[in-house]
């Protein structure tokens, strides 16, 4: 940070380039374009693929709003496909039902950092000649069959928002690509579509990463393996300590998948989710719901005629009523984790 302050280069510059090179090496991709946030990474990616007002993008209804917002920000129309019951990712087997002559791309999400369906989704996209964009905002460092998440799609988008597996001290994001032309377009879009100083070939935006964030991320990236190891350790311990509770389901694990465990979400049946959240809150334990309202039921979509009636996507709508995330982060103390699982077990009548 002192080096950045000394240099006076506060936006892009050598720290950012060093971070981009390190991410390329780490993920095994040819290009990394450092941007201002995960949200802007998605806009940059869709814009680079020329997705615009006459197009549709097939996407998941179970994500943070930024996923669908990116489609709307480039003027395109989302087409929602229900999620898989196990990993809650966009169901690749239902993509065909949403295809039309306007379909321009598929935007999938490795929800909670679980990439169990990404390879299959990439196969389906390739079969239809459509680019896959991975919203891997929650999944930096996750792998499927040893291959880095973000590298399955034509473009992969990451967030380094502070709670993510690799967190900056503020907002930051990344687009990764293996295609030279797409990467170049992303670079231009990141800086107002400029191809040279005062030459604007495209209408992009200001999606640049701050050098201070890159300096922090350059220090943290070498520790990612350790952060991921600790997250996995906590996740597997939660799996053990919470399994066999009647009324609660721990996350279903998928063969060949190495998640980033950015969120640990259980499913609480019988309409008791909010009651359990209250019991945890009373014990001073924070929980979160990712996400209580599926994207096809958000007012911003319904108001534009882009939503769907309640009941249209039963798997996601069921999950939205049941999911509850409990604390997971590398520094979580084992004693605190046991206290959390103790409260949950007692709630279900176990001791
Ligand atoms: C799935 C998903 N997509 C996109 C984003 C947006 O990332 P950011 O907060 O860096 O803009 C997030 C996280 O916040 C996310 O979880």
């Amino acid at each position: 940070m002192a080096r950045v302050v000394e240099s006076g280069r506060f936006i892009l510059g050598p720290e950012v380039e060093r971070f981009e090179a390190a991410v390329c090496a780490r993920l095994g991709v040819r290009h990394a374009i450092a941007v201002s946030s995960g949200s802007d990474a998605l806009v940059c990616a869709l814009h680079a693929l020329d997705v615009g007002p006459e197009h549709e993008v097939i996407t998941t209804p179970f994500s943070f709003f930024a996923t669908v917002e990116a489609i709307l920000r480039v003027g395109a129309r989302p087409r929602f496909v229900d999620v898989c019951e196990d990993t809650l990712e966009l169901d690749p087997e239902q993509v065909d039902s949403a295809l039309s002559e306007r379909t321009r791309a598929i935007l999938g999400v490795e929800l909670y950092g679980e990439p169990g369906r990404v390879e299959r989704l990439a196969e389906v996209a390739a079969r239809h000649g459509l680019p896959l964009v991975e919203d891997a905002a929650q999944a930096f460092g996750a792998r499927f069959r040893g291959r880095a998440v973000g590298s399955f799609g034509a473009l992969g988008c990451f967030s380094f928002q502070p709670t993510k597996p690799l967190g900056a001290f503020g907002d930051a994001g990344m687009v990764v690509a293996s295609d030279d032309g797409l990467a170049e377009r992303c670079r231009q879009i990141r800086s107002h579509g400029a191809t040279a100083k005062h030459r604007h070939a495209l209408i992009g935006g200001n999606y640049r990463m701050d050098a201070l964030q890159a300096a922090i991320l350059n220090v943290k990236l070498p520790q990612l393996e350790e952060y991921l190891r600790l997250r996995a350790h906590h996740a597997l311990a939660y799996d053990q300590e919470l399994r066999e509770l009647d009324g609660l389901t721990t996350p279903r694990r998928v063969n060949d998948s190495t998640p980033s465990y950015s969120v640990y979400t259980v499913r609480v049946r019988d309409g008791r989710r909010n009651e359990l959240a209250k019991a945890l809150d009373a014990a001073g334990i924070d929980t979160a719901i990712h996400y209580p309202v599926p994207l096809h039921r958000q007012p911003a979509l319904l108001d534009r005629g882009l939503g769907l009636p309640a009941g249209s996507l039963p798997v996601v709508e069921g999950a939205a009523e049941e999911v509850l995330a409990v604390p997971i982060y590398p520094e979580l103390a084992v004693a605190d984790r046991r206290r959390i699982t103790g409260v949950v077990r007692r709630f279900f009548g176990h001791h």
Side-chain angles (χ1 to χ4, degrees):
M1 291 169 80
R3 194 162 61 227
V4 171
V5 173
E6 275 304 301
S7 77
R9 285 292 300 271
F10 289 108
I11 301 168
L12 300 180
E15 285 293 335
V16 172
E17 286 162 22
R18 197 142 63 83
F19 181 56
E20 290 176 336
V23 167
C24 285
R26 158 97 210 179
L27 304 187
V29 292
R30 276 172 67 79
H31 302 282
I33 301 97
V35 294
S36 33
S37 69
S39 305
D40 289 339
L42 291 167
V43 172
C44 207
L46 294 176
H47 189 166
L49 289 165
D50 247 333
V51 179
E54 61 281 20
H55 299 133
E56 293 177 355
V57 177
I58 294 175
T59 195
T60 170
F62 211 28
S63 186
F64 180 57
F65 189 68
T67 307
V68 72
E69 190 179 45
I71 297 169
L72 301 169
R73 280 173 68 189
V74 299
R77 187 189 166 95
R79 284 292 301 265
F80 296 108
V81 163
D82 210 346
V83 297
C84 305
E85 186 68 48
D86 55 359
T87 71
L88 303 175
E89 294 165 278
L90 168 63
D91 184 352
E93 311 315 324
Q94 293 189 52
V95 163
D96 286 16
S97 66
L99 286 168
S100 81
E101 65 283 1
R102 290 169 170 249
T103 310
R104 185 59 187 244
I106 299 176
L107 175 54
V109 178
E110 283 95 354
L111 194 72
Y112 311 145
E114 165 62 74
R117 288 294 181 290
V118 66
E119 186 181 64
R120 180 70 188 132
L121 193 59
E123 279 167 17
V124 169
R127 174 152 57 79
H128 295 296
L130 291 168
L132 171 67
V133 176
E134 291 179 67
D135 178 346
Q138 302 178 0
F140 192 83
R143 291 177 177 275
F144 188 82
R145 260 192 248 287
R147 179 169 162 192
V149 158
S151 71
F152 287 85
L155 293 164
C157 301
F158 295 106
S159 167
F160 304 118
Q161 181 260 350
T163 67
K164 298 295 191 278
L166 182 67
F169 286 8
D171 283 310
M174 186 74 83
V175 184
V176 297
S178 287
D179 181 85
D180 298 351
L182 273 180
E184 187 50 34
R185 275 177 68 83
C186 287
R187 282 186 200 288
Q188 290 169 11
I189 291 161
R190 170 176 72 175
S191 294
H192 305 288
T195 47
K197 203 170 168 71
H198 301 307
R199 289 256 160 218
H200 301 273
L202 299 165
I203 298 164
N206 175 356
Y207 305 142
R208 300 172 306 214
M209 185 186 281
D210 284 342
L212 280 171
Q213 299 305 342
I216 290 154
L217 291 164
N218 276 326
V219 174
K220 291 186 78 176
L221 183 61
Q223 299 168 59
L224 177 69
E225 221 42 65
E226 181 64 3
Y227 301 149
L228 293 173
R229 191 185 67 75
L230 290 164
R231 280 180 183 272
H233 176 79
H234 288 308
L236 300 181
Y238 271 136
D239 286 353
Q240 290 293 321
E241 290 162 23
L242 297 178
R243 72 175 176 188
E244 290 163 11
L245 294 182
D246 193 18
L248 178 145
T249 316
T250 54
R252 295 251 288 278
R253 303 287 167 220
V254 176
N255 283 344
D256 299 322
S257 178
T258 313
S260 63
Y261 301 105
S262 63
V263 180
Y264 186 91
T265 292
V266 296
R267 291 184 66 163
V268 187
R269 291 192 300 276
D270 312 318
R272 300 191 73 195
R273 189 258 313 268
N274 295 352
E275 210 187 314
L276 175 59
K278 250 192 220 136
L280 286 159
D281 183 60
I285 297 158
D286 281 341
T287 58
I289 298 172
H290 305 290
Y291 298 88
V293 182
L295 299 175
H296 67 288
R297 299 296 301 153
Q298 287 290 349
L301 279 291
L302 294 168
D303 289 353
R304 287 166 178 74
L306 299 171
L308 294 169
S312 315
L313 302 173
V315 182
V316 68
E317 290 173 37
E321 302 281 315
E322 293 186 351
V323 289
L324 186 69
V326 293
I328 191 163
Y329 45 89
E331 304 81 0
L332 178 63
V334 171
D336 286 339
R337 191 191 68 228
R338 296 217 171 106
R339 201 166 70 78
I340 294 165
T341 54
V343 172
V344 176
R345 291 177 64 82
R346 274 192 298 283
F347 179 85
F348 288 104
H350 290 255
H351 296 279

